[in-house]
């Protein structure tokens, strides 16, 4: 039976449906407008929060820079060893405060202190650098963490590491040491917010610890990954602190790699990966290659990681590394590529005090290395352009720096450990 649509009851029903439809549409419109407004507000709030965090990080970085500039010192200053802590096998931390009790500057995360150590058995002072391993915002003390070095395995008649053993065996609490102000260019800019990967091998973790502390303290929500490679729990320093920072900061992650775990080391509890820090591990854990990478550790580790990162497409400016010793990555430049130089391009270097002339053929990484290979004495300390011990007067010619010096010397002298000749040279050595 056909329904008569003209009856009042049907008209009434149709009216109700129509009104319901209009009401539904209005409701939907209202809901979607409300959602857009709420979304816009939340977005604005997030943006404001991000802006506030950025500004806070920039202010903290600026404060740090100003404080460093305001209360730094030149030459060596006396510091008292306030506390010595055993951190792990052969690793001790030394807490230092100024002997004069006056203010001392904070530092940029990644910087180090240079020590002038006077030992009883030698008149010649020892100059060595040690990275600051605590927070750059720490006001009470400086902290350095030193690994004691034995002679290389299977060697005879070789002395153990002079400075590290001196610190471990002879330096006691309340002793006084001579210290140069924090320096070094291997630093993390806390005002930036690009995600960061910190990679520390062995004792090379020390500058990473100060960078990690700095990131957490600026509360910048900056994504940060720490990859820490050691043999086993016996070498693990600041374990509780690292765990604490990871727990308190959801943007901070730590991946601990043991290359030779002990029977008691439990994977998933004491460490995360069985093996070394490799490029494959980085690729498997990081969502992309879009990070700033900071690396410090043994030469072979740095060599393989920097090569791997470049092959992965990470630009050079995002790969920063520091070496703790001469077994460093040799930074090649146009002029220093080993064995590159044709005979006509080789430069003569005259060492006037030693009355020796040697040809620079590009097979040494620095003037210091060339001098040592020819039994010419140039004193050295850090061998990284930091401590100034290898400063040598330049009587003639010009040098090129293969690494940025801690402080650029005048043009009439050069830091032999990080320079190569640009022209024929006469050196006062
Ligand atoms: C910027 C910077 C930051 C650093 N930060 C830290 C840090 O935070 N913590 C840390 O522990 N270290 C750090 N270092 C390394 C530190 O400065 C020292 O180089 C390190 O402690 C070794 O010094 P040493 O005097 O004990 O050893 P050295 O006396 O210099 O000897 C080094 C090694 O060579 C061996 N050796 C000596 N003579 C010979 C020979 N003829 N043939 C073969 N081998 C020989 C020794 O037995 C020893 O194993 C840093 C270095 C730099 C440049
Ligand atoms: S050895 Fe330290 S600056 Fe050259």
């Amino acid at each position: 039976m056909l329904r008569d649509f003209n009856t009042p009851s049907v008209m009434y029903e149709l009216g109700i449906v129509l009104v319901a439809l209009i009401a539904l549409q209005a409701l939907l419109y209202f809901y979607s407008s409300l959602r857009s407004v709420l979304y816009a507000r939340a977005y604005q709030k997030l943006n404001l929060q991000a802006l506030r965090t950025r500004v806070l990080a920039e202010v903290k970085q600026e404060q740090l820079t100003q404080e460093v500039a305001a209360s730094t010192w030149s030459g060596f200053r006396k510091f008292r060893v306030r506390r010595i802590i055993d951190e792990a096998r052969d690793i001790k931390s030394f807490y230092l405060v100024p002997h004069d009790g006056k203010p001392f500057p904070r530092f940029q995360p990644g910087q180090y202190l240079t020590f002038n150590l006077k030992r009883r058995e030698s008149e010649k002072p020892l100059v060595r650098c040690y990275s600051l391993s605590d927070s750059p915002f720490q006001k009470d003390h400086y902290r350095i963490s030193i690994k004691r070095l034995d002679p290389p395995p299977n060697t005879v008649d070789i002395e153990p590491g002079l400075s590290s053993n001196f610190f471990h065996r002879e330096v006691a609490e309340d002793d006084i040491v001579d210290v140069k102000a924090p320096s070094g260019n291997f630093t993390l800019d806390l005002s930036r917010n690009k995600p960061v990967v910190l990679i520390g091998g062995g004792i090379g973790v020390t500058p990473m610890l100060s960078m990690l502390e700095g990131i957490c303290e600026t509360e910048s929500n900056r994504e940060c990954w720490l990859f820490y490679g050691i043999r086993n729990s016996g070498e693990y320093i600041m374990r509780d602190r690292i765990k604490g920072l990871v727990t308190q900061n959801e943007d901070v992650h730590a991946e601990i790699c043991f290359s030779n775990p002990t029977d008691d080391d439990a994977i998933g509890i004491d460490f995360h990966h069985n093996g070394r820090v490799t490029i494959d591990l980085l690729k498997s854990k990081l969502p992309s290659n879009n990070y700033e990478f900071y690396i410090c550790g043994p030469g072979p580790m740095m060599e393989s990681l920097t090569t791997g990162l470049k092959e992965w497409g990470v630009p050079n400016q995002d790969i920063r590394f520091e070496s703790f010793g001469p077994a460093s990555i040799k930074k090649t430049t146009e002029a220093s590529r080993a064995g590159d130089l044709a005979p006509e391009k080789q430069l003569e270097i005259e060492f006037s005090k030693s009355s020796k002339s040697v040809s620079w053929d590009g097979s040494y990484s620095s003037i210091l290395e060339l001098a040592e290979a020819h039994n010419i004495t140039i004193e050295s300390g850090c061998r990284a352009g930091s401590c100034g011990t290898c400063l040598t007067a330049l009587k003639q010619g010009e040098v090129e720096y293969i690494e940025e010096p801690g402080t650029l010397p005048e043009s009439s002298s050069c830091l032999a450990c990080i320079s190569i000749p640009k022209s024929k040279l006469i050196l006062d050595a």
Side-chain angles (χ1 to χ4, degrees):
M1 193 180 81
L2 279 175
R3 205 169 170 196
D4 184 357
F5 283 96
N6 285 328
T7 61
S9 69
V10 172
M11 292 293 282
Y12 176 71
E13 280 172 25
L14 273 176
I16 287 187
V17 170
L18 211 64
V19 169
L21 274 175
I22 291 169
L24 186 70
Q25 214 170 12
L27 208 68
L28 280 175
Y29 176 75
F30 175 72
Y31 174 69
S32 91
S33 311
L34 188 72
R35 248 188 72 174
S36 319
V37 169
L38 289 177
Y39 179 76
R41 280 212 189 134
Y43 185 71
Q44 212 176 13
K45 200 170 156 195
L46 270 180
N47 263 348
L48 270 176
Q49 247 169 14
L51 192 70
R52 205 173 295 137
T53 315
R54 281 292 308 277
V55 169
L56 203 72
E58 282 187 25
V59 167
K60 285 212 167 189
Q61 174 69 51
E62 185 52 32
Q63 274 173 352
L64 208 59
T65 313
Q66 282 183 10
E67 278 182 34
V68 170
S71 51
T72 193
W73 68 94
S74 63
F76 287 96
R77 180 173 171 187
K78 303 234 174 275
F79 273 70
R80 184 170 62 83
V81 179
R82 188 161 75 184
R83 206 151 63 107
I84 302 177
I85 302 280
D86 275 314
E87 299 285 4
R89 189 173 53 228
D90 288 334
I91 302 177
K92 285 185 182 192
S93 282
F94 297 80
Y95 290 76
L96 311 167
V97 290
H99 181 48
D100 56 18
K102 290 189 179 153
F104 59 107
R106 290 188 261 174
F107 57 93
Q108 306 290 346
Q111 287 193 311
Y112 54 83
L113 298 176
T114 302
F115 291 80
N116 193 38
L117 304 166
K118 291 167 189 104
R119 297 173 307 142
R120 254 168 288 146
E121 60 272 33
S122 166
E123 279 188 6
K124 214 169 84 179
L126 262 184
V127 180
R128 293 287 188 275
C129 305
Y130 291 100
S131 300
L132 287 146
S133 61
D134 209 344
S135 164
F137 296 101
Q138 170 60 251
K139 282 183 171 164
D140 295 344
H141 57 250
Y142 286 142
R143 184 183 71 195
I144 51 163
S145 307
I146 302 183
K147 181 175 169 63
R148 195 187 64 76
L149 294 189
D150 281 326
N154 309 321
T155 54
V156 278
D157 296 338
I158 291 205
E159 280 197 89
L162 297 178
S163 151
S164 55
N165 279 277
F166 175 76
F167 265 104
H168 275 245
R169 293 184 173 150
E170 296 190 33
V171 173
E173 289 180 356
D174 279 338
D175 277 2
I176 304 292
V177 282
D178 292 324
V179 186
K180 257 193 193 174
S183 55
N185 303 311
F186 179 65
T187 54
L188 177 80
D189 183 348
L190 293 172
S191 67
R192 283 171 61 85
N193 69 347
K194 182 160 182 177
V196 182
V197 177
L198 309 173
I199 308 169
I203 195 63
V205 77
T206 48
M208 306 304 159
L209 293 171
S210 117
M211 293 181 186
L212 184 68
E213 294 275 2
I215 287 176
C216 294
E217 203 144 332
T218 46
E219 294 171 31
S220 59
N221 300 339
R222 189 172 179 182
E223 186 187 338
C224 173
W225 291 75
L226 171 72
F227 289 84
Y228 179 15
I230 34 189
R231 259 175 248 154
N232 49 50
S233 50
E235 295 182 348
Y236 197 165
I237 64 167
M238 319 288 171
R239 178 193 184 123
D240 292 342
R241 184 66 188 154
I242 294 172
K243 279 190 172 174
L245 290 174
V246 171
T247 314
Q248 289 155 21
N249 298 275
E250 57 177 308
D251 300 301
V252 171
H253 314 268
E255 301 293 335
I256 311 299
C257 305
F258 283 4
S259 61
N260 190 11
T262 63
D263 291 344
D264 293 335
D265 291 335
I267 194 157
I269 298 169
D270 299 304
F271 66 111
H272 304 106
H273 308 282
N274 200 337
R276 296 173 199 276
V277 183
T278 61
I279 188 69
D280 289 339
L281 177 67
L282 298 185
K283 286 182 181 172
S284 73
K285 298 305 298 182
L286 300 173
S288 78
N289 65 356
N290 192 18
Y291 290 82
E292 282 175 12
F293 292 84
Y294 290 78
I295 315 169
C296 183
M301 179 192 108
M302 296 209 292
E303 201 83 62
S304 79
L305 286 179
T306 47
T307 309
L309 288 172
K310 281 179 196 161
E311 283 169 4
W312 194 18
V314 180
N316 272 348
Q317 75 267 17
D318 284 341
I319 308 173
R320 310 270 322 270
F321 53 85
E322 176 157 87
S323 146
F324 276 1
S328 61
I329 295 186
K330 294 187 172 71
K331 285 194 184 172
T332 49
T333 67
E334 279 303 302
S336 76
R337 247 168 243 130
D340 256 357
L341 298 181
E344 68 277 11
K345 289 205 171 162
Q346 294 186 7
L347 300 167
E348 194 196 334
I349 305 189
E350 191 184 322
F351 295 91
S352 59
K353 268 191 197 151
S354 320
S355 309
K356 282 186 184 170
S357 274
V358 185
S359 188
W360 175 268
D361 65 0
S363 57
Y364 294 96
S365 68
S366 67
I367 292 169
L368 177 64
E369 265 197 18
L370 174 88
E372 286 173 341
H374 292 86
N375 294 323
I376 295 157
T377 307
I378 296 182
E379 299 295 340
S380 67
C382 66
R383 304 178 76 98
S386 316
C387 66
T389 312
C390 65
L391 192 76
T392 308
L394 202 53
K395 290 180 158 176
Q396 189 189 306
E398 239 187 299
V399 297
E400 180 185 338
Y401 283 103
I402 51 172
E403 281 182 47
E404 213 179 316
T407 322
L408 191 68
E410 289 178 2
S411 58
S412 56
S413 53
C414 70
L415 293 171
C417 68
I418 52 160
S419 57
I420 57 170
K422 236 176 156 178
S423 65
K424 178 180 185 298
L425 299 181
I426 303 181
L427 289 161
D428 187 33

